[in-house]
Amino acid sequence: QALNAVNQKLEDLGKSSYDSAVEVALDQALPHKSILVKERALRVAAEAAKAKLTSALTALRWPALDIEQLRQLQLPSRERVTSIKSSRQEIASQVSLRKSRAEESLLSAQALALQVSQFEAGNKVVTAAELRVARRERDRAWGDIKAGALSVADGAPRMDANLRLADELADARTLSESAAASLQGLRDQHEAAKQQAESHAKLAEDKQRELDKFDATWADLTAQWGIDGIGLEDMHDWLAKRDAVLTAADALQSKENELRVEQDAATDAGRALAEAMAKAGIEVAQNAGLAQMAAKAEQYVEEAKTQRVTKQGLLQQQADAKVALQQAKQAVTSRAEAVTQWNERWSAALAAANL
């Protein structure tokens, strides 16, 4: 009876139409069940990355190049830029030093020129040449009077004036020899200062030309690199801002790729689940989303699992009942054999006793 009851339950349970492909497709779809929430989060992250990229581009202020062009630029390393800046600073320092020395020498020459002028204004210096001229004029007047070329009446005043001038100059010449030496010393200092100022100015001009040539070379380099107009002093900052742009662009691309991969994976998983459910005969609405399909597939799988567990229990009961039935049959057979053997022994005993 127990075996019949179990067999009846198994018959009522019927054959399972469970399709394992539904469970496989469900396992692949479950990670994407909350795709809408993930999409919103990824879109927010992508928008934040886009805003950061826009800000970085604004800071760079180089609209002539797009992201890919910025990425393809063959630019010098920061170490090379530092070396170039160091070289320029050295030349610029020399220019500044030599200009400063030229200005100092020029100021010194101007001060000495003023001293010479003031000394000349404050001291009457009689030179040997001036004294010779005065004496020559005196002698010429006296010679004209003696030769009769000039009358005494006319030549006496001239002779007297030239005589006094020559005497005065002779006396002044004696007094001004020391002043003349001082004046000549000032003039020599002034000339030396002028020459030094000119020398420093020439050196400064040479270094300035060297600096101008250096700057022109830098301008040529920036043109070759495709960033014409970037100053050497601004290069480090510009490189950092370019790196910020590329980092922001990479972050945006990463978020967009992540969103696209997630959407594609969810679409593929939804398509595979729909196909598996259709083959298993599970009805699915045409516009059903992944979450709705997953819920229905989960119900299908859970019901199938419950049915399998129930069937396995019944099969075990069936096996147990069969064993019990077999044992019962063996017991009945054993008892029948025992009765037969007893009857045979009883019959033999009666026959032996002639009864």
Side-chain angles (χ1 to χ4, degrees):
Q1 291 178 351
L3 180 58
N4 291 336
V6 171
N7 288 335
Q8 184 60 48
K9 289 181 180 179
L10 285 171
E11 186 178 349
D12 293 341
L13 190 61
K15 292 184 178 180
S16 174
S17 60
Y18 171 71
D19 187 348
S20 61
V22 174
E23 187 172 0
V24 173
L26 177 62
D27 290 340
Q28 294 176 348
L30 283 178
H32 308 287
K33 186 176 178 180
S34 56
I35 181 62
L36 295 179
V37 176
K38 289 183 180 179
E39 278 189 4
R40 281 196 295 270
L42 288 172
R43 288 185 189 280
V44 169
E47 286 299 322
K50 187 175 183 179
K52 191 170 183 179
L53 174 59
T54 300
S55 177
L57 285 169
T58 300
L60 184 65
R61 292 183 297 179
W62 206 261
L65 300 176
D66 58 26
I67 301 298
E68 192 56 34
Q69 288 172 326
L70 285 172
R71 196 184 303 279
Q72 296 299 324
L73 290 177
Q74 299 296 319
L75 299 176
S77 65
R78 284 176 171 77
E79 291 75 16
R80 185 183 177 192
V81 172
T82 299
S83 176
I84 295 173
K85 285 180 68 175
S86 177
S87 298
R88 188 189 186 283
Q89 288 171 357
E90 182 178 351
I91 298 173
S93 295
Q94 293 178 7
V95 170
S96 178
L97 176 62
R98 292 180 181 185
K99 282 185 176 180
S100 176
R101 288 179 177 175
E103 290 174 358
E104 290 174 1
S105 298
L106 180 60
L107 290 174
S108 177
Q110 290 174 343
L112 287 169
L114 179 61
Q115 290 182 43
V116 169
S117 176
Q118 290 175 340
F119 194 95
E120 288 176 342
N123 296 274
K124 177 59 179 176
V125 179
V126 177
T127 64
E130 291 175 330
L131 181 59
R132 284 196 298 271
V133 170
R135 285 174 176 174
R136 191 165 49 251
E137 290 297 321
R138 178 200 61 187
D139 294 342
R140 181 182 296 116
W142 173 241
D144 289 343
I145 293 174
K146 283 178 32 175
L150 187 66
S151 64
V152 175
D154 293 331
R158 176 180 171 187
M159 174 64 184
D160 185 56
N162 287 334
L163 180 61
R164 283 197 306 271
L165 177 59
D167 291 342
E168 290 174 359
L169 289 177
D171 295 338
R173 169 67 178 167
T174 301
L175 294 174
S176 67
E177 285 182 351
S178 176
S182 298
L183 177 60
Q184 187 60 46
L186 286 175
R187 285 173 174 169
D188 291 343
Q189 292 179 44
H190 173 237
E191 185 62 27
K194 279 176 61 180
Q195 292 178 358
Q196 189 176 43
E198 291 172 356
S199 176
H200 285 312
K202 184 179 183 303
L203 291 174
E205 290 174 359
D206 292 343
K207 274 297 172 183
Q208 183 62 53
R209 280 192 294 271
E210 183 179 349
L211 183 61
D212 293 341
K213 183 179 179 180
F214 190 98
D215 290 341
T217 300
W218 171 257
D220 292 340
L221 288 174
T222 57
Q224 293 174 16
W225 295 330
I227 52 171
D228 190 14
I230 296 292
L232 179 57
E233 292 300 320
D234 300 327
M235 191 61 182
H236 270 136
D237 182 59
W238 193 89
L239 287 173
K241 289 178 178 178
R242 169 183 174 266
D243 289 345
V245 167
L246 297 182
T247 299
D250 290 342
L252 175 58
Q253 185 176 11
S254 175
K255 292 301 178 183
E256 290 177 341
N257 289 342
E258 189 177 352
L259 175 60
R260 184 168 55 255
V261 168
E262 185 65 30
Q263 289 173 331
D264 292 345
T267 299
D268 293 342
R271 185 183 301 111
L273 181 57
E275 291 175 356
M277 291 174 71
K279 289 180 181 179
I282 305 172
E283 293 185 1
V284 180
Q286 188 174 2
N287 59 347
L290 182 58
Q292 294 173 310
M293 289 192 297
K296 200 162 186 177
E298 284 178 323
Q299 181 182 0
Y300 169 81
V301 171
E302 288 302 320
E303 289 177 353
K305 286 181 179 179
T306 300
Q307 188 178 20
R308 285 200 302 272
V309 171
T310 301
K311 187 173 183 179
Q312 287 173 356
L314 290 173
L315 290 173
Q316 184 61 48
Q317 292 178 28
Q318 184 187 54
D320 293 342
K322 286 181 178 180
V323 171
L325 178 60
Q326 185 64 31
Q327 290 174 346
K329 287 180 178 180
Q330 289 177 352
V332 170
T333 301
S334 296
R335 284 194 294 270
E337 289 177 351
V339 171
T340 300
Q341 291 174 359
W342 184 86
N343 285 333
E344 289 176 351
R345 287 196 299 273
W346 176 251
S347 296
L350 289 176
N354 294 319
L355 294 178

